[in-house]
Amino acid sequence: MKTSNKLLLSFVGLIVLLMLLSDTVMWANYKRGKSGDGLLTDDNNNSKEHKIAVNAFKVLKIEGTSSDRLTVDSDEKYQISFWGEKDQRFDYRTQNDTMFIKLKDGEHFTLQCPALQTVILSEGTGISVREFKLPSLNILAGKSCRIELIDMNVNVLDVTGGEENEFIAMGNKSLVDSIHLQLGKSSVLKSYEVPYGRVSMAVDSLRELELRGESLTSMKQIK
């Protein structure tokens, strides 16, 4: 047999041997519950939404430091929803009718509840409240807080914020009958397509003001 043929057969045999070894290793990993770089069970666990039931509350107080807003969604149940590791622990507690949450950078979870009356934001914290229908909502914010309202239907909205606050309202489903807005120096006020009935504003040297669509055309009088 020619040397070239021997080399070709040796090469083909090596390829077949490597393929058999690869299949054997993959099957062994599968039997141990591993797929790719991680456990099959870990992959399933990380792609699943987890929920933690919490006690009912009317007042939400947010503390701590985080670059992200806490998202609060409308839901029939009082609960915390999150993705990833099932054994994650978040800093929260309920006392009387108040829920206390301490935010930390790197944590991502959503608070869900059927109703909300008051939100209290400590300095440097933020909140995004979405898709609630409420008779009234009172928001009290310290310095450098971020307030975002999306698709909110509120009869009476009262927002009082310190210096360097950011207030944003948006959503085609939004409707606010009466709003009282008080913001400190160097704050930002933005509202997109949110119709207002009665408007009362007390602002001091806004850093930025932007009103679009019905947020602008619906304002007949500002006191």
Short mmCIF file of all heavy atoms in Angstrom, two decimals, residues 62-70 103 105 121-127 141-147 162-165:
data_model
loop_
_atom_site.label_atom_id
_atom_site.label_comp_id
_atom_site.label_asym_id
_atom_site.label_seq_id
_atom_site.Cartn_x
_atom_site.Cartn_y
_atom_site.Cartn_z
N ILE A 62 -39.32 53.02 49.77
CA ILE A 62 -38.14 52.49 49.10
C ILE A 62 -36.89 53.18 49.62
O ILE A 62 -36.82 54.42 49.65
CB ILE A 62 -38.25 52.66 47.57
CG1 ILE A 62 -39.52 51.96 47.06
CG2 ILE A 62 -37.02 52.12 46.87
CD1 ILE A 62 -39.76 52.16 45.59
N GLU A 63 -35.92 52.38 50.01
CA GLU A 63 -34.66 52.90 50.54
C GLU A 63 -33.51 52.25 49.78
O GLU A 63 -33.72 51.45 48.87
CB GLU A 63 -34.55 52.58 52.04
CG GLU A 63 -35.69 53.13 52.87
CD GLU A 63 -35.69 52.59 54.30
OE1 GLU A 63 -35.45 51.38 54.47
OE2 GLU A 63 -35.93 53.39 55.22
N GLY A 64 -32.27 52.59 50.18
CA GLY A 64 -31.10 51.96 49.59
C GLY A 64 -30.54 52.76 48.43
O GLY A 64 -30.94 53.90 48.17
N THR A 65 -29.62 52.14 47.72
CA THR A 65 -28.98 52.77 46.56
C THR A 65 -29.00 51.80 45.40
O THR A 65 -28.59 50.65 45.51
CB THR A 65 -27.52 53.15 46.87
OG1 THR A 65 -26.82 51.98 47.30
CG2 THR A 65 -27.47 54.21 47.96
N SER A 66 -29.49 52.26 44.27
CA SER A 66 -29.53 51.43 43.08
C SER A 66 -29.62 52.32 41.86
O SER A 66 -30.27 53.37 41.89
CB SER A 66 -30.74 50.48 43.12
OG SER A 66 -30.85 49.75 41.91
N SER A 67 -28.97 51.91 40.78
CA SER A 67 -29.03 52.66 39.53
C SER A 67 -30.31 52.37 38.77
O SER A 67 -30.61 53.04 37.78
CB SER A 67 -27.82 52.31 38.65
OG SER A 67 -27.76 50.92 38.42
N ASP A 68 -31.09 51.38 39.20
CA ASP A 68 -32.33 51.00 38.53
C ASP A 68 -33.54 51.40 39.36
O ASP A 68 -33.50 51.46 40.58
CB ASP A 68 -32.37 49.48 38.30
CG ASP A 68 -31.27 49.01 37.38
OD1 ASP A 68 -30.95 49.76 36.44
OD2 ASP A 68 -30.73 47.92 37.59
N ARG A 69 -34.65 51.64 38.67
CA ARG A 69 -35.92 51.87 39.35
C ARG A 69 -36.52 50.55 39.80
O ARG A 69 -36.33 49.53 39.15
CB ARG A 69 -36.91 52.58 38.42
CG ARG A 69 -36.50 53.94 37.91
CD ARG A 69 -37.60 54.51 37.01
NE ARG A 69 -37.27 55.83 36.50
CZ ARG A 69 -36.68 56.05 35.34
NH1 ARG A 69 -36.35 55.02 34.57
NH2 ARG A 69 -36.43 57.28 34.93
N LEU A 70 -37.26 50.58 40.88
CA LEU A 70 -38.06 49.42 41.26
C LEU A 70 -39.35 49.44 40.45
O LEU A 70 -40.08 50.44 40.46
CB LEU A 70 -38.39 49.45 42.75
CG LEU A 70 -39.39 48.38 43.22
CD1 LEU A 70 -38.79 46.99 43.09
CD2 LEU A 70 -39.85 48.63 44.64
N LEU A 103 -33.22 48.70 48.21
CA LEU A 103 -32.68 48.34 46.92
C LEU A 103 -31.15 48.23 46.96
O LEU A 103 -30.49 48.96 47.70
CB LEU A 103 -33.07 49.39 45.87
CG LEU A 103 -34.56 49.56 45.59
CD1 LEU A 103 -34.77 50.66 44.57
CD2 LEU A 103 -35.18 48.26 45.11
N ASP A 105 -27.72 47.54 44.13
CA ASP A 105 -27.29 47.41 42.75
C ASP A 105 -27.12 45.94 42.38
O ASP A 105 -26.62 45.15 43.16
CB ASP A 105 -25.97 48.15 42.52
CG ASP A 105 -26.19 49.62 42.17
OD1 ASP A 105 -27.16 49.91 41.47
OD2 ASP A 105 -25.39 50.47 42.61
N LEU A 121 -40.12 57.74 48.64
CA LEU A 121 -38.82 57.45 48.07
C LEU A 121 -37.73 58.16 48.87
O LEU A 121 -37.76 59.39 49.02
CB LEU A 121 -38.75 57.92 46.61
CG LEU A 121 -39.73 57.29 45.62
CD1 LEU A 121 -39.62 57.95 44.27
CD2 LEU A 121 -39.49 55.80 45.51
N SER A 122 -36.77 57.40 49.38
CA SER A 122 -35.62 58.00 50.03
C SER A 122 -34.68 58.57 48.97
O SER A 122 -34.78 58.25 47.79
CB SER A 122 -34.88 56.96 50.89
OG SER A 122 -35.72 56.46 51.91
N GLU A 123 -33.76 59.39 49.39
CA GLU A 123 -32.85 60.07 48.46
C GLU A 123 -32.12 59.09 47.55
O GLU A 123 -31.58 58.07 47.99
CB GLU A 123 -31.81 60.88 49.25
CG GLU A 123 -30.82 61.63 48.38
CD GLU A 123 -29.86 62.48 49.18
OE1 GLU A 123 -30.14 62.76 50.36
OE2 GLU A 123 -28.81 62.87 48.61
N GLY A 124 -32.15 59.39 46.26
CA GLY A 124 -31.42 58.60 45.28
C GLY A 124 -32.11 57.35 44.78
O GLY A 124 -31.53 56.60 44.00
N THR A 125 -33.33 57.10 45.20
CA THR A 125 -34.04 55.89 44.76
C THR A 125 -35.00 56.22 43.62
O THR A 125 -35.22 57.39 43.27
CB THR A 125 -34.82 55.26 45.92
OG1 THR A 125 -35.73 56.22 46.47
CG2 THR A 125 -33.86 54.80 47.01
N GLY A 126 -35.61 55.19 43.04
CA GLY A 126 -36.51 55.40 41.92
C GLY A 126 -37.57 54.34 41.83
O GLY A 126 -37.43 53.24 42.38
N ILE A 127 -38.65 54.66 41.11
CA ILE A 127 -39.76 53.73 40.97
C ILE A 127 -40.41 53.88 39.61
O ILE A 127 -40.44 54.97 39.03
CB ILE A 127 -40.81 53.96 42.09
CG1 ILE A 127 -41.82 52.81 42.14
CG2 ILE A 127 -41.52 55.30 41.90
CD1 ILE A 127 -42.72 52.86 43.34
N ALA A 141 -41.07 62.19 47.49
CA ALA A 141 -39.72 61.82 47.06
C ALA A 141 -38.69 62.76 47.66
O ALA A 141 -38.91 63.98 47.75
CB ALA A 141 -39.62 61.86 45.53
N GLY A 142 -37.55 62.18 48.06
CA GLY A 142 -36.44 62.97 48.55
C GLY A 142 -35.65 63.57 47.40
O GLY A 142 -36.14 63.71 46.28
N LYS A 143 -34.39 63.87 47.63
CA LYS A 143 -33.54 64.47 46.61
C LYS A 143 -33.07 63.41 45.61
O LYS A 143 -32.86 62.25 45.96
CB LYS A 143 -32.33 65.13 47.28
CG LYS A 143 -31.39 65.82 46.32
CD LYS A 143 -30.21 66.44 47.06
CE LYS A 143 -29.24 67.12 46.09
NZ LYS A 143 -28.08 67.71 46.79
N SER A 144 -32.95 63.82 44.35
CA SER A 144 -32.39 62.98 43.29
C SER A 144 -33.14 61.67 43.12
O SER A 144 -32.55 60.59 42.98
CB SER A 144 -30.91 62.69 43.56
OG SER A 144 -30.17 63.89 43.66
N CYS A 145 -34.46 61.72 43.12
CA CYS A 145 -35.29 60.53 42.92
C CYS A 145 -35.84 60.49 41.50
O CYS A 145 -35.95 61.53 40.84
CB CYS A 145 -36.44 60.50 43.92
SG CYS A 145 -35.89 60.27 45.64
N ARG A 146 -36.20 59.30 41.05
CA ARG A 146 -36.72 59.10 39.70
C ARG A 146 -38.10 58.46 39.77
O ARG A 146 -38.26 57.39 40.35
CB ARG A 146 -35.77 58.22 38.90
CG ARG A 146 -34.39 58.83 38.66
CD ARG A 146 -33.36 57.77 38.41
NE ARG A 146 -33.17 56.93 39.60
CZ ARG A 146 -32.66 55.70 39.55
NH1 ARG A 146 -32.33 55.16 38.41
NH2 ARG A 146 -32.49 55.01 40.66
N ILE A 147 -39.07 59.14 39.18
CA ILE A 147 -40.47 58.69 39.23
C ILE A 147 -40.96 58.48 37.80
O ILE A 147 -40.93 59.40 36.99
CB ILE A 147 -41.36 59.71 39.95
CG1 ILE A 147 -40.83 59.99 41.35
CG2 ILE A 147 -42.81 59.22 39.99
CD1 ILE A 147 -41.41 61.24 41.98
N GLY A 162 -38.16 66.51 46.02
CA GLY A 162 -37.10 67.44 46.39
C GLY A 162 -36.32 67.92 45.17
O GLY A 162 -36.80 67.85 44.04
N GLU A 163 -35.11 68.37 45.41
CA GLU A 163 -34.27 68.87 44.33
C GLU A 163 -33.78 67.74 43.43
O GLU A 163 -33.64 66.59 43.86
CB GLU A 163 -33.07 69.63 44.90
CG GLU A 163 -33.45 70.87 45.69
CD GLU A 163 -32.23 71.59 46.23
OE1 GLU A 163 -31.10 71.09 46.02
OE2 GLU A 163 -32.39 72.65 46.86
N GLU A 164 -33.54 68.09 42.16
CA GLU A 164 -32.95 67.17 41.18
C GLU A 164 -33.78 65.89 41.00
O GLU A 164 -33.24 64.80 40.80
CB GLU A 164 -31.51 66.82 41.56
CG GLU A 164 -30.61 68.04 41.66
CD GLU A 164 -29.22 67.70 42.16
OE1 GLU A 164 -28.94 66.51 42.37
OE2 GLU A 164 -28.42 68.63 42.34
N ASN A 165 -35.08 66.03 41.06
CA ASN A 165 -35.97 64.89 40.80
C ASN A 165 -36.24 64.76 39.30
O ASN A 165 -36.09 65.72 38.54
CB ASN A 165 -37.29 65.07 41.53
CG ASN A 165 -37.29 64.46 42.92
OD1 ASN A 165 -38.17 63.71 43.28
ND2 ASN A 165 -36.27 64.76 43.72
#
